Amino acid sequence: MLEGCTPWPGERARRYRAAGHWRGENLADLLSATAATHHDRTALVLGGRRLTFAELDRRVARTAAGFVERGIAAGDRVVVQLPNVPEFVIVCFALFRMGAKPVFSLVSHRANEIRHLCGISGAVAYVVPGEYQGFDHTRLALDLVEEHAALRKVFVLDREAVAGAAAAPPGVLVALDDVDAEPLPLPAPDPSDVAFFLLSGGTTALPKLIPRTHDDYAYQVRAAAALLGLDQDAVYLAVLPAEFNFTWGCPGVVGTLLSGGTVVLADAPIADECFETVAREGVTFTSLVPTLAQLWVEAAEWSEADLSSLRLVQIGGARTHSSLAARVGPVLGCRLQQVFGMAEGLLTLSRPTDSEERVLATQGRPLSPDDEVRIVGPAGDDVPPGGTGELLTRGPYTLQGYYKAPEHNARAFTEDGFYRTGDLARLTDDGDLVIEGRIKDVINRGGDKVSAPEVEEHLLAHPAVAEAAVVPVPDPFLGERIGAYVVPDGPPPALRELKEALHADGLADYKLPDWLAIVEALPLTGLGKVDKKTLTADAAARIHAADTAAPDAATAR
Ligand code: J2J
């Protein structure tokens, strides 16, 4: 296994193999095997572009050879930052084929995040769209090439962005289209090795990388596809970013492709456009965060679009109110599946045969019979049955350690290898999980996870900020938004000023504070730490008071 990763202990690895979870297959060969059976069927669709399985497999093989030709080698890390385009799938599978490891980045990430990803992964290459949604990714990439000695290639989706880019060192900028060569026989990657890295939602100032192996991910997508009963008639609409674990493999893009089904990529999650796509392509299932599900339900009530092909909508990533859950089935004319998941591994899902009551009120059961789940109190003891506590888990597709993070791993895992999720949960008598809250220092902004310490660190770098604490503030649409309590150093800064400064710092926009309260001091706990519980309650009270006083003024300033 790649250095810096923690393998599963031998006894458990043997058990997972003996159970048939880990089959010693790599993701690239699995795609080729599917392509061999389903060659002329449609694998990928984006607007008017369609690729059959044969075309996809061929493009993957040619792109892998092209990467080798450009000096990318097995074991190399490559940061991949692309929107929902077929090239995202092609590049990832090409890298799988040659044993190089994609590091998944969100398109919304900026200098702050990418700099860190390049640094920690030691990436040799970075794949960017060009200019996307008004941001010049090529420019950023060239700046990072100057900063990181290891980073020596930038692959750009938009050929014109290569021609139009400012002077770059020779050979650094390459149009993705030119990564194309006669397929080569390449040694197969080791299935127990890392296939790619996902990004952690983060409880620390700097995001952590989650290594996912071929064996563990192939198992996750196979088990999730089996649970949904996917076959070649499945048509999945990828609405959320494809690099989100939920979209990529629950069973998502990878699970659908490996079942011989069709993946339809959505440019944007806009309900009306997606409804047209559903009708045109006969989409059978999709996955949404609650905020999007809410918009879809509202839009569907007015839409004439034919959604009759839709059989299942998965909702997850953030808390789903039961009132929303209850509307999804009747309004969209399909079943609902609640999904609780994490890039680190564990997935719980309601089952197609579950009663409506169960589907509406719980987040379902673990995907694997070998997922082990514990609910513990603050001292680490199991709580009595039915009680709420921190959810701990280990299993055949849950990481054993973040990449190159030994100190953090010592805190994030128990001695016997359980991952401390930081989520508060309880188990019902039927064995369903109900997520009750969270003890980790993260804000879940409509499904986007934002690490409070990361935002605090950026706030503290501002000259007008003496102290800062970031907490979730309630929001009727997003569930939570980012609230900042600031003790000023001199004249108090305005929210807008802080947002502009953090944006200029290169922090991704979804992490910018939405709400600001200026205070004289931060409350402390008995142990001298900032009392975030008190601040969270205070923020909720202030927002409630503001809402009652003036319905339009939902923010402090
Ligand atoms: C409440 N909180 C939830 C839910 C995730 C499938 C689905 C989601 C993710 C994901 C994922 C929740 N109710 N139904 O990777 O494969 C919060 C928890 C969790 C964190 C993980 C998947 N579903 N959450 O959201 O890595 O706090 O993965 O620990 O982005 O989201 O976030 P992330």
Side-chain angles (χ1 to χ4, degrees):
M1 206 188 210
L2 192 71
E3 205 189 316
C5 299
T6 320
W8 281 260
E11 177 274 323
R12 278 176 45 221
R14 277 191 292 281
R15 187 146 54 86
Y16 300 151
R17 289 198 178 93
H21 302 330
W22 294 356
R23 297 186 177 168
E25 295 162 331
N26 72 67
L27 294 167
D29 283 347
L30 286 170
L31 182 68
S32 294
T34 315
T37 328
H38 295 277
H39 30 92
D40 290 334
R41 294 183 66 93
T42 305
L44 280 177
V45 180
L46 174 69
R49 270 180 84 188
R50 312 180 82 82
L51 263 86
T52 65
F53 274 96
E55 286 162 346
L56 172 61
D57 195 43
R58 190 172 156 73
R59 283 288 304 274
V60 166
R62 293 194 63 94
T63 306
F67 278 134
V68 173
E69 192 183 73
R70 306 269 170 181
I72 311 295
D76 282 349
R77 275 79 64 202
V78 177
V79 175
V80 180
Q81 185 182 34
L82 289 175
N84 285 4
V85 289
E87 285 76 7
F88 178 76
V89 180
I90 295 165
V91 162
C92 290
F93 275 91
L95 295 170
F96 296 163
R97 162 129 309 153
M98 48 174 296
K101 289 133 193 9
V103 178
F104 285 15
S105 148
L106 297 175
V107 185
S108 48
H109 284 154
R110 294 292 178 261
N112 165 72
E113 291 81 20
I114 308 290
R115 177 175 290 122
H116 171 64
L117 288 185
C118 288
I120 186 154
S121 68
V124 302
Y126 177 21
V127 185
V128 295
E131 186 167 317
Y132 187 72
Q133 293 180 336
F135 183 78
D136 186 352
H137 291 267
T138 319
R139 177 72 262 159
L140 169 62
L142 290 177
D143 288 347
L144 292 175
V145 166
E146 287 193 9
E147 284 174 34
H148 294 270
L151 191 63
R152 50 176 197 266
K153 289 277 177 210
V154 176
F155 299 106
V156 190
L157 178 63
D158 176 8
R159 175 180 286 285
E160 283 170 22
V162 177
V172 169
L173 274 187
V174 180
L176 202 48
D177 275 351
D178 294 340
V179 183
D180 179 60
E182 248 340 281
L184 297 165
L186 294 167
D190 175 354
S192 64
D193 198 359
V194 178
F196 61 100
F197 290 94
L198 289 172
L199 257 188
S200 138
T203 52
T204 48
L206 296 172
K208 300 276 173 285
L209 292 186
I210 299 166
R212 300 297 305 250
T213 67
H214 290 275
D215 266 336
D216 96 61
Y217 216 73
Y219 172 50
Q220 172 179 308
V221 298
R222 187 182 345 105
L227 195 148
L228 265 61
L230 295 195
D231 58 20
Q232 60 175 27
D233 296 325
V235 181
Y236 175 64
L237 183 66
V239 180
L240 297 167
E243 58 277 1
F244 184 20
N245 185 38
F246 192 16
T247 326
W248 185 237
C250 287
V253 173
V254 181
T256 302
L257 289 176
L258 298 188
S259 304
T262 302
V263 172
V264 181
L265 300 161
D267 256 346
I270 300 159
D272 286 331
E273 289 176 18
C274 289
F275 291 169
E276 275 175 32
T277 309
V278 168
R280 192 182 63 239
E281 301 293 339
V283 167
T284 61
F285 83 113
T286 189
S287 36
L288 303 174
V289 287
T291 48
L292 264 189
Q294 174 83 36
L295 292 175
W296 277 41
V297 164
E298 280 162 18
E301 279 168 337
W302 297 98
S303 167
E304 305 270 293
D306 176 9
L307 302 181
S308 58
S309 59
L310 206 55
R311 282 186 225 131
L312 180 84
V313 169
Q314 301 178 299
I315 301 189
R319 183 188 160 83
T320 304
H321 279 282
S322 49
S323 58
L324 168 64
R327 285 171 74 198
V328 169
V331 176
L332 298 177
C334 63
R335 280 193 335 261
L336 161 75
Q337 179 176 54
Q338 290 219 33
V339 184
F340 163 78
M342 56 195 74
E344 283 81 357
L346 179 71
L347 299 173
T348 73
L349 315 91
S350 51
R351 303 304 200 253
T353 49
D354 284 351
S355 69
E356 188 177 322
E357 196 192 334
R358 250 173 123 168
V359 175
L360 296 186
T362 80
Q363 281 67 60
R365 297 181 288 300
L367 177 64
S368 170
D370 281 311
D371 281 322
E372 296 172 74
V373 162
R374 287 178 60 200
I375 309 280
V376 304
D381 306 333
D382 291 297
V383 302
T388 298
E390 185 182 6
L391 173 70
L392 309 187
T393 187
R394 63 179 191 187
Y397 59 97
T398 296
L399 87 172
Q400 288 294 118
Y402 293 99
Y403 183 56
K404 290 191 176 163
E407 280 170 32
H408 182 66
N409 288 339
R411 289 191 299 275
F413 294 82
T414 63
E415 264 175 24
D416 50 358
F418 278 85
Y419 167 59
R420 300 185 207 271
T421 66
D423 289 305
L424 287 175
R426 67 182 164 84
L427 284 168
T428 66
D429 292 344
D430 295 326
D432 290 311
L433 201 74
V434 178
I435 303 302
E436 295 284 7
R438 185 178 335 128
I439 52 172
K440 57 187 167 190
D441 212 1
V442 166
I443 291 128
N444 191 334
R445 193 180 186 279
D448 286 334
K449 316 305 179 315
V450 179
S451 150
E454 182 177 19
V455 182
E456 285 160 5
E457 193 164 276
H458 284 266
L459 285 170
L460 285 170
H462 192 279
V465 176
E467 290 177 56
V470 167
V471 294
V473 296
D475 181 79
F477 178 58
L478 292 171
E480 297 172 8
R481 290 190 307 158
I482 303 169
Y485 280 81
V486 162
V487 178
D489 187 353
L495 177 60
R496 198 174 145 179
E497 183 186 341
L498 292 177
K499 285 175 87 156
E500 281 171 3
L502 268 55
H503 173 84
D505 248 12
L507 193 67
D509 281 346
Y510 70 92
K511 300 179 181 175
L512 302 180
D514 299 293
W515 183 91
L516 171 69
I518 299 289
V519 289
E520 277 178 16
L522 297 174
L524 298 180
T525 64
L527 295 171
K529 287 171 79 177
V530 174
D531 184 354
K532 292 210 167 174
K533 257 193 189 161
T534 298
L535 288 179
T536 306
D538 179 72
R542 285 183 192 226
I543 284 184
H544 181 72
D547 280 352
T548 339
D552 292 339
T555 52
R557 42 178 66 223

